[in-house]
Amino acid sequence: MKKVLVIGGGGREHAIVDALSRSPQVGKIYCAPGNAGISAQAECVAIKDTDVEGLKAFALENGIDLAVVGPEVALAAGVVDAFKAAGLRIFGPSKAAATIEASKDFAKQLMAKYNIPTAAFETFEDYDAALEYVKKGSFPVVLKYDGLAAGKGVVIPETLEEAEETLKDMLLDDKFGKGKVVVEEFLTGPEFSFMCFVDGNDVYPMTLSQDHKRAYEGDKGPNTGGMGAYSPVPIITDEDLEFSLEKVMKPTAAAMVSEGCPFTGVLYGGLMKTPQGPKVIEFNCRFGDPETEVVLPRLDTDIYDIFSAVADHTPMPAIEWKKEVTMGFVMASKGYPGSYDKGYEIDLSSVISSAPSVISSASSVISSEVEKSPVRIYHMGTSLKDGKYYTSGGRVLMVVGFGADLQEAHDKALAAVESIKCENLFYRRDIGWRVL
Ligand code: AMP
Ligand code: GLY
């Protein structure tokens, strides 16, 4: 039986752990650092996701057969390179390949060079030059800080005054750090998330999902990491999908090979179905969050085999998806994505039968934590004390409903969300509005 280490501690990692726990080959799952919900299915170890040396030492000491990386910060810190250099098997891109997410400018230059459809753009280091360019264009305009900014590095000013302020923040005051700014043409249309398992030139598509980036109902309010998602996405036609695979994802994988940084892991295309066809809004070098929580429960193939095929560069098994569809609602701390308080008790008694006690080994996996309702509860930011759950992050829970159609999945998830008691959580009730 295989021992797997999952790196990260959010809803995405909970869904990865959940998928691995369905593999008959996997005997023991560790998660670093994990979270309260994950501790019901894996042994959580207190090592930070960016502590590359600590993670490597743990993997070596514990005879880990395979490591799987969730967060981009761990990838950008070079965890894959370090594990490989130590002879450890790991699923995820090298630090060089992770640049496709870590640098917006790198991604845009790559797309321009290899003719991959995306918004017109120009990159600036100089404030005055950027402002001149913005003045010549139209509004809204899209300003993207060229570095990892936890989903907060994209601003879409409607006016010149707003644009000036944002450019000041990004280029004069270095609010996100020292870096460039990509100024981009504003595109319109529904967005969708196209995640693919990629091993060099080989691209294996996952089923589609759609995120809801804005904080409030009606797609209003600030951008967030994502407030809900569903899978599949019926408004994306087979033709759109074919185009996205053949003209976007495959050429991008090939471009990474040509550039000397072949991609291995999950390549996430954040695409928009514009009137001119699908175009790239962004690339991520990892599973999306909360998309993973609606996509992986639909996977009908042993995920350990998929991770192994990519990590070992061996043939990929046929990847099957369940007919059952999914929709999930994020419950977030009031104030998110701005500042928020933590430590509020969450009463999950309506949806699970009991909270796990403190876990010391996988043999004590809590079988009593079984969902009562036909939903899966993925923990994004929770902690556990004396058998009670508390909020410990901006996004706290992702509640996923299942159904024969999206309406059924929606209704089941929303009913569960409404039954969860916590005084400091909010959620969007309109997840799936484009398709229901
Ligand atoms: P990103 O972090 O690049 O995905 O940007 C965050 C969000 O900003 C996206 O999900 C879009 O909703 C929006 N956005 C980014 N780029 C554009 C664009 N060129 N046109 C319109 N909206 C955009
Ligand atoms: N939900 C968007 C992301 O994972 O980046």
Side-chain angles (χ1 to χ4, degrees):
M1 294 291 265
K2 305 296 183 193
K3 284 189 197 174
V4 183
L5 170 65
V6 176
I7 298 168
R12 162 183 52 212
E13 289 75 22
H14 195 173
I16 294 170
V17 165
D18 193 34
L20 281 164
S21 70
R22 291 194 292 273
S23 167
Q25 303 170 71
V26 174
K28 171 98 186 178
I29 308 171
Y30 297 96
C31 191
N35 66 36
I38 293 173
S39 69
Q41 285 174 286
E43 182 174 338
C44 294
V45 288
I47 307 173
K48 265 183 71 175
D49 54 10
T50 49
D51 178 2
V52 172
E53 287 308 310
L55 293 165
K56 189 176 82 183
F58 178 85
L60 288 169
E61 275 159 31
N62 290 278
I64 296 297
D65 293 292
L66 176 73
V68 180
V69 191
E72 62 276 19
V73 286
L75 296 163
V79 67
V80 171
D81 311 67
F83 270 55
K84 284 195 175 155
L88 291 161
R89 290 169 78 227
I90 187 161
F91 175 87
S94 65
K95 182 175 175 164
T99 311
I100 199 163
E101 171 168 2
S103 167
K104 300 263 187 207
D105 184 43
F106 173 88
K108 294 296 286 191
Q109 303 293 351
L110 187 83
M111 288 186 267
K113 182 170 172 186
Y114 292 91
N115 262 321
I116 293 156
T118 189
F121 75 103
E122 194 96 33
T123 307
F124 296 93
E125 274 174 88
D126 179 65
Y127 170 79
D128 293 317
L131 189 60
E132 258 333 285
Y133 181 80
V134 166
K135 277 183 181 163
K136 279 190 270 164
S138 58
F139 287 90
V141 65
V142 183
L143 305 178
K144 298 186 174 179
Y145 172 71
D146 175 47
L148 293 180
K152 290 173 189 162
V154 177
V155 182
I156 306 184
E158 304 269 350
T159 64
L160 181 59
E161 292 70 43
E162 244 184 285
E164 234 177 304
E165 200 149 305
T166 304
L167 288 173
K168 264 196 197 117
D169 283 349
M170 290 180 175
L171 287 172
L172 294 181
D173 301 339
D174 297 337
K175 209 169 140 189
F176 301 98
K178 190 112 200 89
K180 302 180 241 183
V181 168
V182 175
V183 181
E184 221 177 83
E185 163 201 16
F186 179 77
L187 301 176
T188 54
E191 290 177 60
F192 59 103
S193 305
F194 190 17
M195 300 190 284
C196 296
F197 296 106
V198 173
D199 175 17
N201 279 302
D202 299 330
V203 176
Y204 306 93
M206 289 185 230
T207 185
L208 294 179
S209 56
Q210 187 177 61
D211 190 9
H212 296 61
K213 293 249 161 99
R214 302 296 200 97
Y216 313 130
E217 282 166 19
D219 287 338
K220 300 267 177 358
N223 261 317
T224 69
M227 292 300 293
Y230 59 88
S231 173
V233 187
I235 51 176
I236 303 305
T237 62
D238 288 348
E239 202 186 348
D240 296 329
L241 182 61
E242 172 87 2
F243 181 89
S244 304
L245 182 61
E246 299 300 329
K247 303 289 183 206
V248 176
M249 304 308 285
K250 285 186 180 175
T252 301
M256 294 296 279
V257 173
S258 302
E259 293 295 307
C261 47
F263 194 95
T264 52
V266 173
L267 182 62
Y268 166 127
L271 306 185
M272 187 181 270
K273 181 179 165 141
T274 76
Q276 293 80 42
K279 291 189 183 182
V280 177
I281 293 291
E282 67 165 343
F283 281 119
N284 292 327
C285 61
R286 44 149 182 103
F287 281 109
D289 193 358
E291 289 94 329
T292 305
E293 293 94 305
V294 290
V295 167
L296 289 189
R298 301 188 57 227
L299 180 65
D300 216 5
T301 303
D302 187 337
I303 202 165
Y304 187 84
D305 286 335
I306 297 176
F307 288 153
S308 295
V310 174
D312 303 336
H313 314 295
T314 51
M316 181 65 84
I319 302 178
E320 311 278 353
W321 300 94
K322 293 178 190 158
K323 285 219 167 59
E324 195 175 38
V325 306
T326 46
M327 189 174 293
F329 292 66
V330 169
M331 301 181 76
S333 294
K334 286 178 187 167
Y336 172 81
S339 61
Y340 53 84
D341 294 324
K342 303 177 188 178
Y344 288 84
E345 190 183 335
I346 315 163
D347 179 357
L348 288 173
S349 60
S350 59
V351 283
I352 59 171
S353 50
S354 79
S357 52
V358 176
I359 308 293
S360 54
S361 75
S363 58
S364 58
V365 162
I366 301 304
S367 52
S368 61
E369 193 193 316
V370 179
E371 275 79 4
K372 288 180 188 167
S373 54
V375 293
R376 250 352 245 123
I377 313 286
Y378 292 113
H379 291 236
M380 304 181 100
T382 63
S383 59
L384 188 64
K385 203 172 161 231
D386 301 329
K388 287 181 176 159
Y389 289 112
Y390 296 88
T391 63
S392 72
R395 292 187 295 173
V396 174
L397 298 170
M398 168 75 168
V399 179
V400 177
F402 297 79
D405 57 40
L406 289 168
Q407 187 67 52
E408 187 187 348
H410 169 277
D411 295 350
K412 285 180 179 164
L414 188 56
V417 164
E418 284 170 339
S419 74
I420 292 170
K421 293 187 212 62
C422 179
E423 60 181 276
N424 201 47
L425 293 180
F426 79 99
Y427 52 90
R428 281 181 60 166
R429 299 175 54 88
D430 66 343
I431 302 306
W433 66 269
R434 281 186 187 276
V435 289
L436 298 180

